[in-house]
Amino acid sequence: MDRKGMYASVSAHPELVSVKDLIGQVEDGRLVIPPIPASEALSGETMAEVFMLMDAGYPLPPMVAWKGADPQGEAHLIEGAMVLEGLVRYLASEGDAAMRATGQPGGHASDAEGIYWVLGGEGRYVAEVGEVPAEYLPVRSMLRTLDFIGFSRGLEETVGADSAPSLVTEGEEVSQRLLNYRAVVTYFRGDAGRVRELAAASERIGKDSRAVR
């Protein structure tokens, strides 16, 4: 039966998408993030909290994208851009992918900045600048087998063959949790203007809900 109403011209298609696939969609241009000024991008400390949420299996803020009539065409993110930009900034394999996400050359993390899981400690993500202890597992290494192998070998050289195995096992477990995490992305097809109206209404409701607390 045909749906009636002012939003009958749009249809929602929610999907569960892995973090690795989300980053891949941005890197190859299938999912486009609107430009975000560096001054408005989420800080490393905030993104460390985002990774903690994901590690616990907590749902991320809604991600909504509009897709045109072509099923093979690109999708444009209209809600959830701040979090996804941060994920790309710290997880993308190429710096220019993060640059495309933020729309400016300085948008991606520098080699001196990163987010890490602290191995052998209380189990937490941290954002650090500069040199870090050997037990700090970079989030970038969690998505790529070769990078993780390289990290593991360096860890054994630093902490010794006796201590390294338990730390590597912990790293494998936390990496698997990140790889297994699924975010809900709702792809809308149809009238882009109507989809933006829905996104604006969702944002107003979110602000009103926070104000009531």
PDB file of all heavy atoms in Angstrom, residues 64-94:
ATOM      1  N   VAL A  64      22.844   9.498   9.556  1.00  0.00           N
ATOM      2  CA  VAL A  64      21.819   9.518   8.517  1.00  0.00           C
ATOM      3  C   VAL A  64      22.450  10.062   7.239  1.00  0.00           C
ATOM      4  O   VAL A  64      23.166  11.065   7.263  1.00  0.00           O
ATOM      5  CB  VAL A  64      20.611  10.395   8.928  1.00  0.00           C
ATOM      6  CG1 VAL A  64      19.577  10.434   7.811  1.00  0.00           C
ATOM      7  CG2 VAL A  64      19.995   9.879  10.220  1.00  0.00           C
ATOM      8  N   ALA A  65      22.204   9.380   6.136  1.00  0.00           N
ATOM      9  CA  ALA A  65      22.754   9.811   4.855  1.00  0.00           C
ATOM     10  C   ALA A  65      21.654   9.819   3.805  1.00  0.00           C
ATOM     11  O   ALA A  65      20.703   9.037   3.870  1.00  0.00           O
ATOM     12  CB  ALA A  65      23.885   8.888   4.420  1.00  0.00           C
ATOM     13  N   TRP A  66      21.783  10.742   2.854  1.00  0.00           N
ATOM     14  CA  TRP A  66      20.849  10.802   1.733  1.00  0.00           C
ATOM     15  C   TRP A  66      21.527  10.254   0.496  1.00  0.00           C
ATOM     16  O   TRP A  66      22.697  10.543   0.220  1.00  0.00           O
ATOM     17  CB  TRP A  66      20.403  12.233   1.456  1.00  0.00           C
ATOM     18  CG  TRP A  66      19.612  12.358   0.187  1.00  0.00           C
ATOM     19  CD1 TRP A  66      18.297  12.040   0.004  1.00  0.00           C
ATOM     20  CD2 TRP A  66      20.100  12.780  -1.094  1.00  0.00           C
ATOM     21  NE1 TRP A  66      17.931  12.242  -1.302  1.00  0.00           N
ATOM     22  CE2 TRP A  66      19.014  12.694  -2.003  1.00  0.00           C
ATOM     23  CE3 TRP A  66      21.342  13.213  -1.553  1.00  0.00           C
ATOM     24  CZ2 TRP A  66      19.145  13.039  -3.341  1.00  0.00           C
ATOM     25  CZ3 TRP A  66      21.478  13.551  -2.900  1.00  0.00           C
ATOM     26  CH2 TRP A  66      20.382  13.478  -3.776  1.00  0.00           C
ATOM     27  N   LYS A  67      20.794   9.417  -0.214  1.00  0.00           N
ATOM     28  CA  LYS A  67      21.322   8.822  -1.433  1.00  0.00           C
ATOM     29  C   LYS A  67      20.358   9.115  -2.568  1.00  0.00           C
ATOM     30  O   LYS A  67      19.141   9.046  -2.393  1.00  0.00           O
ATOM     31  CB  LYS A  67      21.475   7.317  -1.242  1.00  0.00           C
ATOM     32  CG  LYS A  67      22.422   6.655  -2.206  1.00  0.00           C
ATOM     33  CD  LYS A  67      22.744   5.236  -1.743  1.00  0.00           C
ATOM     34  CE  LYS A  67      23.825   4.626  -2.611  1.00  0.00           C
ATOM     35  NZ  LYS A  67      24.201   3.279  -2.141  1.00  0.00           N
ATOM     36  N   GLY A  68      20.897   9.441  -3.713  1.00  0.00           N
ATOM     37  CA  GLY A  68      20.062   9.745  -4.875  1.00  0.00           C
ATOM     38  C   GLY A  68      19.407   8.506  -5.457  1.00  0.00           C
ATOM     39  O   GLY A  68      19.445   7.410  -4.886  1.00  0.00           O
ATOM     40  N   ALA A  69      18.847   8.656  -6.632  1.00  0.00           N
ATOM     41  CA  ALA A  69      18.110   7.560  -7.255  1.00  0.00           C
ATOM     42  C   ALA A  69      19.029   6.428  -7.700  1.00  0.00           C
ATOM     43  O   ALA A  69      18.617   5.269  -7.758  1.00  0.00           O
ATOM     44  CB  ALA A  69      17.314   8.093  -8.448  1.00  0.00           C
ATOM     45  N   ASP A  70      20.288   6.758  -8.016  1.00  0.00           N
ATOM     46  CA  ASP A  70      21.229   5.745  -8.488  1.00  0.00           C
ATOM     47  C   ASP A  70      21.700   4.890  -7.315  1.00  0.00           C
ATOM     48  O   ASP A  70      22.369   5.375  -6.405  1.00  0.00           O
ATOM     49  CB  ASP A  70      22.434   6.424  -9.149  1.00  0.00           C
ATOM     50  CG  ASP A  70      23.438   5.420  -9.695  1.00  0.00           C
ATOM     51  OD1 ASP A  70      23.174   4.197  -9.602  1.00  0.00           O
ATOM     52  OD2 ASP A  70      24.480   5.860 -10.210  1.00  0.00           O
ATOM     53  N   PRO A  71      21.371   3.578  -7.288  1.00  0.00           N
ATOM     54  CA  PRO A  71      21.782   2.735  -6.165  1.00  0.00           C
ATOM     55  C   PRO A  71      23.289   2.628  -6.020  1.00  0.00           C
ATOM     56  O   PRO A  71      23.808   2.312  -4.949  1.00  0.00           O
ATOM     57  CB  PRO A  71      21.155   1.369  -6.486  1.00  0.00           C
ATOM     58  CG  PRO A  71      20.549   1.463  -7.826  1.00  0.00           C
ATOM     59  CD  PRO A  71      20.603   2.877  -8.289  1.00  0.00           C
ATOM     60  N   GLN A  72      24.028   2.868  -7.116  1.00  0.00           N
ATOM     61  CA  GLN A  72      25.493   2.796  -7.078  1.00  0.00           C
ATOM     62  C   GLN A  72      26.119   4.167  -6.806  1.00  0.00           C
ATOM     63  O   GLN A  72      27.342   4.275  -6.755  1.00  0.00           O
ATOM     64  CB  GLN A  72      26.024   2.254  -8.408  1.00  0.00           C
ATOM     65  CG  GLN A  72      25.461   0.897  -8.802  1.00  0.00           C
ATOM     66  CD  GLN A  72      25.713  -0.168  -7.760  1.00  0.00           C
ATOM     67  OE1 GLN A  72      26.784  -0.237  -7.189  1.00  0.00           O
ATOM     68  NE2 GLN A  72      24.702  -0.993  -7.503  1.00  0.00           N
ATOM     69  N   GLY A  73      25.303   5.185  -6.658  1.00  0.00           N
ATOM     70  CA  GLY A  73      25.833   6.531  -6.450  1.00  0.00           C
ATOM     71  C   GLY A  73      26.299   6.774  -5.030  1.00  0.00           C
ATOM     72  O   GLY A  73      26.100   5.946  -4.130  1.00  0.00           O
ATOM     73  N   GLU A  74      26.923   7.917  -4.815  1.00  0.00           N
ATOM     74  CA  GLU A  74      27.449   8.254  -3.504  1.00  0.00           C
ATOM     75  C   GLU A  74      26.321   8.673  -2.567  1.00  0.00           C
ATOM     76  O   GLU A  74      25.257   9.107  -2.987  1.00  0.00           O
ATOM     77  CB  GLU A  74      28.472   9.385  -3.623  1.00  0.00           C
ATOM     78  CG  GLU A  74      27.880  10.670  -4.187  1.00  0.00           C
ATOM     79  CD  GLU A  74      28.943  11.693  -4.547  1.00  0.00           C
ATOM     80  OE1 GLU A  74      30.103  11.308  -4.759  1.00  0.00           O
ATOM     81  OE2 GLU A  74      28.594  12.886  -4.602  1.00  0.00           O
ATOM     82  N   ALA A  75      26.579   8.486  -1.273  1.00  0.00           N
ATOM     83  CA  ALA A  75      25.640   8.910  -0.231  1.00  0.00           C
ATOM     84  C   ALA A  75      26.245  10.101   0.502  1.00  0.00           C
ATOM     85  O   ALA A  75      27.456  10.162   0.715  1.00  0.00           O
ATOM     86  CB  ALA A  75      25.368   7.770   0.741  1.00  0.00           C
ATOM     87  N   HIS A  76      25.401  11.056   0.880  1.00  0.00           N
ATOM     88  CA  HIS A  76      25.858  12.269   1.558  1.00  0.00           C
ATOM     89  C   HIS A  76      25.360  12.261   2.998  1.00  0.00           C
ATOM     90  O   HIS A  76      24.155  12.229   3.243  1.00  0.00           O
ATOM     91  CB  HIS A  76      25.352  13.513   0.820  1.00  0.00           C
ATOM     92  CG  HIS A  76      25.934  13.671  -0.554  1.00  0.00           C
ATOM     93  ND1 HIS A  76      26.998  14.507  -0.809  1.00  0.00           N
ATOM     94  CD2 HIS A  76      25.617  13.062  -1.734  1.00  0.00           C
ATOM     95  CE1 HIS A  76      27.306  14.429  -2.098  1.00  0.00           C
ATOM     96  NE2 HIS A  76      26.481  13.558  -2.672  1.00  0.00           N
ATOM     97  N   LEU A  77      26.305  12.292   3.936  1.00  0.00           N
ATOM     98  CA  LEU A  77      25.941  12.257   5.348  1.00  0.00           C
ATOM     99  C   LEU A  77      25.308  13.587   5.752  1.00  0.00           C
ATOM    100  O   LEU A  77      25.852  14.654   5.466  1.00  0.00           O
ATOM    101  CB  LEU A  77      27.179  11.993   6.207  1.00  0.00           C
ATOM    102  CG  LEU A  77      26.922  11.445   7.611  1.00  0.00           C
ATOM    103  CD1 LEU A  77      26.407  10.010   7.528  1.00  0.00           C
ATOM    104  CD2 LEU A  77      28.193  11.477   8.444  1.00  0.00           C
ATOM    105  N   ILE A  78      24.160  13.532   6.424  1.00  0.00           N
ATOM    106  CA  ILE A  78      23.500  14.758   6.867  1.00  0.00           C
ATOM    107  C   ILE A  78      23.308  14.784   8.376  1.00  0.00           C
ATOM    108  O   ILE A  78      22.909  15.799   8.932  1.00  0.00           O
ATOM    109  CB  ILE A  78      22.133  14.943   6.171  1.00  0.00           C
ATOM    110  CG1 ILE A  78      21.215  13.767   6.455  1.00  0.00           C
ATOM    111  CG2 ILE A  78      22.309  15.151   4.683  1.00  0.00           C
ATOM    112  CD1 ILE A  78      19.834  13.934   5.874  1.00  0.00           C
ATOM    113  N   GLU A  79      23.599  13.684   9.044  1.00  0.00           N
ATOM    114  CA  GLU A  79      23.551  13.659  10.506  1.00  0.00           C
ATOM    115  C   GLU A  79      24.597  12.655  10.987  1.00  0.00           C
ATOM    116  O   GLU A  79      24.777  11.599  10.394  1.00  0.00           O
ATOM    117  CB  GLU A  79      22.162  13.249  11.005  1.00  0.00           C
ATOM    118  CG  GLU A  79      21.984  13.416  12.501  1.00  0.00           C
ATOM    119  CD  GLU A  79      20.543  13.224  12.956  1.00  0.00           C
ATOM    120  OE1 GLU A  79      19.648  13.080  12.099  1.00  0.00           O
ATOM    121  OE2 GLU A  79      20.310  13.228  14.179  1.00  0.00           O
ATOM    122  N   GLY A  80      25.318  13.031  12.063  1.00  0.00           N
ATOM    123  CA  GLY A  80      26.365  12.163  12.593  1.00  0.00           C
ATOM    124  C   GLY A  80      27.737  12.437  12.013  1.00  0.00           C
ATOM    125  O   GLY A  80      28.665  11.651  12.185  1.00  0.00           O
ATOM    126  N   ALA A  81      27.881  13.589  11.336  1.00  0.00           N
ATOM    127  CA  ALA A  81      29.145  13.888  10.655  1.00  0.00           C
ATOM    128  C   ALA A  81      30.305  14.070  11.627  1.00  0.00           C
ATOM    129  O   ALA A  81      31.438  13.678  11.322  1.00  0.00           O
ATOM    130  CB  ALA A  81      28.992  15.142   9.791  1.00  0.00           C
ATOM    131  N   MET A  82      30.048  14.655  12.784  1.00  0.00           N
ATOM    132  CA  MET A  82      31.147  14.955  13.714  1.00  0.00           C
ATOM    133  C   MET A  82      31.844  13.676  14.181  1.00  0.00           C
ATOM    134  O   MET A  82      33.075  13.595  14.199  1.00  0.00           O
ATOM    135  CB  MET A  82      30.609  15.726  14.924  1.00  0.00           C
ATOM    136  CG  MET A  82      29.909  17.015  14.572  1.00  0.00           C
ATOM    137  SD  MET A  82      31.056  18.309  14.053  1.00  0.00           S
ATOM    138  CE  MET A  82      31.586  18.904  15.654  1.00  0.00           C
ATOM    139  N   VAL A  83      31.041  12.677  14.551  1.00  0.00           N
ATOM    140  CA  VAL A  83      31.623  11.425  15.035  1.00  0.00           C
ATOM    141  C   VAL A  83      32.335  10.687  13.904  1.00  0.00           C
ATOM    142  O   VAL A  83      33.458  10.202  14.074  1.00  0.00           O
ATOM    143  CB  VAL A  83      30.540  10.527  15.664  1.00  0.00           C
ATOM    144  CG1 VAL A  83      31.084   9.129  15.922  1.00  0.00           C
ATOM    145  CG2 VAL A  83      30.054  11.135  16.973  1.00  0.00           C
ATOM    146  N   LEU A  84      31.697  10.612  12.740  1.00  0.00           N
ATOM    147  CA  LEU A  84      32.322   9.884  11.643  1.00  0.00           C
ATOM    148  C   LEU A  84      33.589  10.570  11.173  1.00  0.00           C
ATOM    149  O   LEU A  84      34.581   9.907  10.850  1.00  0.00           O
ATOM    150  CB  LEU A  84      31.335   9.726  10.482  1.00  0.00           C
ATOM    151  CG  LEU A  84      31.854   8.883   9.310  1.00  0.00           C
ATOM    152  CD1 LEU A  84      32.380   7.535   9.780  1.00  0.00           C
ATOM    153  CD2 LEU A  84      30.764   8.703   8.257  1.00  0.00           C
ATOM    154  N   GLU A  85      33.596  11.904  11.152  1.00  0.00           N
ATOM    155  CA  GLU A  85      34.829  12.612  10.785  1.00  0.00           C
ATOM    156  C   GLU A  85      35.954  12.249  11.743  1.00  0.00           C
ATOM    157  O   GLU A  85      37.101  12.040  11.333  1.00  0.00           O
ATOM    158  CB  GLU A  85      34.584  14.130  10.797  1.00  0.00           C
ATOM    159  CG  GLU A  85      35.757  14.970  10.311  1.00  0.00           C
ATOM    160  CD  GLU A  85      36.819  15.214  11.374  1.00  0.00           C
ATOM    161  OE1 GLU A  85      36.484  15.199  12.582  1.00  0.00           O
ATOM    162  OE2 GLU A  85      38.001  15.414  11.003  1.00  0.00           O
ATOM    163  N   GLY A  86      35.632  12.161  13.050  1.00  0.00           N
ATOM    164  CA  GLY A  86      36.645  11.787  14.032  1.00  0.00           C
ATOM    165  C   GLY A  86      37.148  10.373  13.817  1.00  0.00           C
ATOM    166  O   GLY A  86      38.356  10.107  13.925  1.00  0.00           O
ATOM    167  N   LEU A  87      36.253   9.455  13.499  1.00  0.00           N
ATOM    168  CA  LEU A  87      36.677   8.079  13.229  1.00  0.00           C
ATOM    169  C   LEU A  87      37.607   8.024  12.024  1.00  0.00           C
ATOM    170  O   LEU A  87      38.632   7.338  12.042  1.00  0.00           O
ATOM    171  CB  LEU A  87      35.449   7.192  12.996  1.00  0.00           C
ATOM    172  CG  LEU A  87      34.547   6.942  14.207  1.00  0.00           C
ATOM    173  CD1 LEU A  87      33.317   6.147  13.791  1.00  0.00           C
ATOM    174  CD2 LEU A  87      35.305   6.217  15.315  1.00  0.00           C
ATOM    175  N   VAL A  88      37.250   8.758  10.974  1.00  0.00           N
ATOM    176  CA  VAL A  88      38.102   8.791   9.785  1.00  0.00           C
ATOM    177  C   VAL A  88      39.457   9.412  10.116  1.00  0.00           C
ATOM    178  O   VAL A  88      40.505   8.921   9.695  1.00  0.00           O
ATOM    179  CB  VAL A  88      37.414   9.579   8.650  1.00  0.00           C
ATOM    180  CG1 VAL A  88      38.373   9.818   7.493  1.00  0.00           C
ATOM    181  CG2 VAL A  88      36.184   8.830   8.172  1.00  0.00           C
ATOM    182  N   ARG A  89      39.430  10.471  10.912  1.00  0.00           N
ATOM    183  CA  ARG A  89      40.664  11.174  11.245  1.00  0.00           C
ATOM    184  C   ARG A  89      41.664  10.259  11.949  1.00  0.00           C
ATOM    185  O   ARG A  89      42.878  10.353  11.746  1.00  0.00           O
ATOM    186  CB  ARG A  89      40.331  12.382  12.127  1.00  0.00           C
ATOM    187  CG  ARG A  89      41.457  13.379  12.273  1.00  0.00           C
ATOM    188  CD  ARG A  89      41.049  14.646  13.022  1.00  0.00           C
ATOM    189  NE  ARG A  89      39.677  14.763  13.408  1.00  0.00           N
ATOM    190  CZ  ARG A  89      39.284  15.054  14.647  1.00  0.00           C
ATOM    191  NH1 ARG A  89      40.164  15.226  15.612  1.00  0.00           N
ATOM    192  NH2 ARG A  89      37.991  15.179  14.925  1.00  0.00           N
ATOM    193  N   TYR A  90      41.172   9.368  12.785  1.00  0.00           N
ATOM    194  CA  TYR A  90      42.081   8.534  13.572  1.00  0.00           C
ATOM    195  C   TYR A  90      42.236   7.116  13.045  1.00  0.00           C
ATOM    196  O   TYR A  90      43.134   6.392  13.495  1.00  0.00           O
ATOM    197  CB  TYR A  90      41.620   8.495  15.029  1.00  0.00           C
ATOM    198  CG  TYR A  90      41.845   9.796  15.737  1.00  0.00           C
ATOM    199  CD1 TYR A  90      40.806  10.700  15.932  1.00  0.00           C
ATOM    200  CD2 TYR A  90      43.114  10.162  16.182  1.00  0.00           C
ATOM    201  CE1 TYR A  90      41.017  11.915  16.555  1.00  0.00           C
ATOM    202  CE2 TYR A  90      43.335  11.377  16.801  1.00  0.00           C
ATOM    203  CZ  TYR A  90      42.279  12.249  16.994  1.00  0.00           C
ATOM    204  OH  TYR A  90      42.494  13.462  17.605  1.00  0.00           O
ATOM    205  N   LEU A  91      41.379   6.705  12.097  1.00  0.00           N
ATOM    206  CA  LEU A  91      41.438   5.328  11.623  1.00  0.00           C
ATOM    207  C   LEU A  91      41.789   5.188  10.154  1.00  0.00           C
ATOM    208  O   LEU A  91      42.204   4.113   9.732  1.00  0.00           O
ATOM    209  CB  LEU A  91      40.093   4.629  11.866  1.00  0.00           C
ATOM    210  CG  LEU A  91      39.717   4.340  13.316  1.00  0.00           C
ATOM    211  CD1 LEU A  91      38.303   3.783  13.383  1.00  0.00           C
ATOM    212  CD2 LEU A  91      40.693   3.382  13.967  1.00  0.00           C
ATOM    213  N   ALA A  92      41.609   6.249   9.359  1.00  0.00           N
ATOM    214  CA  ALA A  92      41.825   6.127   7.914  1.00  0.00           C
ATOM    215  C   ALA A  92      43.262   5.732   7.623  1.00  0.00           C
ATOM    216  O   ALA A  92      44.198   6.165   8.293  1.00  0.00           O
ATOM    217  CB  ALA A  92      41.480   7.432   7.207  1.00  0.00           C
ATOM    218  N   SER A  93      43.426   4.894   6.596  1.00  0.00           N
ATOM    219  CA  SER A  93      44.769   4.431   6.242  1.00  0.00           C
ATOM    220  C   SER A  93      45.572   5.503   5.531  1.00  0.00           C
ATOM    221  O   SER A  93      46.795   5.479   5.535  1.00  0.00           O
ATOM    222  CB  SER A  93      44.679   3.185   5.357  1.00  0.00           C
ATOM    223  OG  SER A  93      43.949   3.467   4.177  1.00  0.00           O
ATOM    224  N   GLU A  94      44.892   6.462   4.915  1.00  0.00           N
ATOM    225  CA  GLU A  94      45.576   7.522   4.192  1.00  0.00           C
ATOM    226  C   GLU A  94      45.139   8.872   4.727  1.00  0.00           C
ATOM    227  O   GLU A  94      43.959   9.115   4.948  1.00  0.00           O
ATOM    228  CB  GLU A  94      45.256   7.451   2.688  1.00  0.00           C
ATOM    229  CG  GLU A  94      45.686   6.136   2.051  1.00  0.00           C
ATOM    230  CD  GLU A  94      45.305   6.073   0.592  1.00  0.00           C
ATOM    231  OE1 GLU A  94      44.742   7.064   0.093  1.00  0.00           O
ATOM    232  OE2 GLU A  94      45.560   5.045  -0.032  1.00  0.00           O
TER     233      GLU A  94
END
